[in-house]
Amino acid sequence: MGKTLGVGLIGCGNISTSYLGLAPMFNGIEIRACADINADAAKARAEEYDIRAETVGGLLVAEDIDIVVNLTVPAVHYEVSAQVLDAGKHVYSEKPFVLSVEQGRDLAARAKKGDLRVGSAPDTFLGGAHQLARNLIDTGKIGRVTGGTCHVLSPGMEHWHPNPDFFFQAGGGPILDLGPYYISNLVQLIGPVRRVVAMSSIPTPERKITSKPRYGEMIKVETPTTVHAVLEFANGALVTLGASWDVKAHGHRPMELYGTEASLVVPDPNFFGGEVELLKGGGAAPELPTWDHPLGVPNQQHDHGMMANYRAVGLAEMAVAITEGRPHRCSLEFALHVVDVMTAILHSGETGAFITLTTSCEQPAPLDASQAAALFRGAAQK
């Protein structure tokens, strides 16, 4: 077996349960401790998952912690990740890992200085459905990708989240909160983006919380909640992205890509699984290849039945990559380009200008079924 790296969490809110509950299924990582500015939250989470509670400072100097997972709110992702790197530990952050290209470049410099790795969610693009879509594109099944559409539309977050304020502050909004899933998947499928143009609005400046325990409180909206953008990719493809928390209902599919030979329907990039469709004109849909990918197998109950949920696989893949001395897929370069796309969209929405990206990246390497299977605990590592 390969080396197992010790993992600590900073931030013990809702998302921490996904990492704590799912990480044990993967090779290469063992979550050993957690910390939070609220000591009681850290203690409760530690007791729940049989790990130890630390102060943030204690976690950063703990000798058995190799990687720190940054699960704080987006506004402090950069600050916390910088502290982790300066403490000599690798960091894996929830999305978006920074709120500006400048912050990302600073983290890159800190990581290089310490010979450390930076990784970032989302890792859903490693899911079985999205890797099937990648395979169909890479093997020429739809020809050259020339265009597409993406839609992430809902009524918002104040209906279910107990403390939804941060969703509507700087660093939130549908582009920075949900955009990482969609844009990451587009970049892993098509390649880097060259430039963007967008329009944005705040249709409802104040929103009412209808979740408990704060039912009835009002939130002031400080960031656009409806954004329509066009992304021009380096390969020439044009993709329309609609992102809104002002839509009561709609009939759009999450993602469609159009090629010179066929079209591809891709399921919601917020999830690992779902149905991929290959469409050609003039008859029955072509058969898809046999695709027995472990990251597409339903493993968790959801509102509408079973779904595939393997959050933390990006963290595990990074840990294994560190021990093997190879690049990891949820990389800083990849995540920084996605941040560049998102912030450019927001800037274009404010100014009306076309924005040319200042970053680029390589597409992450595909993750085939055998490579994915090797990440699971019980499978032999190289």
Side-chain angles (χ1 to χ4, degrees), residues 128-362:
H130 307 297
Q131 290 300 308
L132 172 56
R134 173 70 178 268
N135 178 267
L136 292 169
I137 292 172
D138 287 355
T139 55
K141 295 297 189 297
I142 72 168
R144 179 173 53 86
V145 179
T146 60
T149 59
C150 289
H151 297 283
V152 51
L153 312 171
S154 78
M157 304 300 199
E158 68 273 31
H159 313 293
W160 64 271
H161 198 283
N163 292 293
D165 310 65
F166 73 94
F167 286 113
F168 301 98
Q169 296 167 355
I175 289 294
L176 288 173
D177 182 65
L178 292 170
Y181 298 105
Y182 285 73
I183 296 167
S184 293
N185 207 31
L186 286 172
V187 173
Q188 80 101 7
L189 292 173
I190 307 174
V193 177
R194 179 184 293 134
R195 64 174 180 163
V196 304
V197 67
M199 298 181 72
S200 62
S201 67
I202 303 176
T204 306
E206 284 195 329
R207 301 174 77 114
K208 180 180 177 181
I209 298 176
T210 56
S211 61
K212 293 181 179 181
R214 297 174 57 199
Y215 183 93
E217 290 186 35
M218 301 300 292
I219 302 172
K220 183 179 179 181
V221 180
E222 300 173 356
T223 192
T225 52
T226 289
V227 181
H228 293 275
V230 179
L231 286 61
E232 180 187 37
F233 286 77
N235 78 336
L238 299 178
V239 175
T240 299
L241 169 65
S244 179
W245 287 339
D246 301 293
V247 176
K248 300 300 183 186
H250 69 92
H252 292 292
R253 294 197 273 195
M255 184 178 291
E256 296 185 357
L257 298 178
Y258 313 127
T260 53
E261 303 298 327
S263 296
L264 193 61
V265 178
V266 182
D268 191 341
N270 196 5
F271 300 97
F272 287 81
E275 184 180 359
V276 176
E277 297 178 62
L278 183 61
L279 307 177
K280 285 193 174 183
E287 283 192 23
L288 297 175
T290 301
W291 196 253
D292 187 19
H293 199 288
L295 296 178
V297 178
N299 66 331
Q300 189 176 88
Q301 187 65 39
H302 189 51
D303 294 343
H304 304 293
M306 294 294 289
M307 71 171 187
N309 183 9
Y310 297 95
R311 291 175 197 268
V313 68
L315 169 65
E317 198 274 336
M318 183 175 90
V320 173
I322 290 169
T323 62
E324 294 180 351
R326 61 168 175 80
H328 59 289
R329 288 171 171 85
C330 294
S331 69
L332 183 148
E333 176 197 41
F334 175 65
L336 183 59
H337 183 61
V338 172
V339 167
D340 194 8
V341 174
M342 294 188 297
T343 55
I345 287 171
L346 292 174
H347 184 52
S348 178
E350 292 174 0
T351 64
F354 282 84
I355 307 294
T356 299
L357 279 294
T358 61
T359 66
S360 188
C361 70
E362 298 290 331

Side-chain angles (χ1 to χ4, degrees), residues 109-129:
R110 293 171 191 259
K112 184 178 181 180
K113 181 179 179 181
D115 193 23
L116 297 166
R117 300 285 188 102
V118 176
S120 175
D123 54 7
T124 46
F125 71 89
L126 299 174

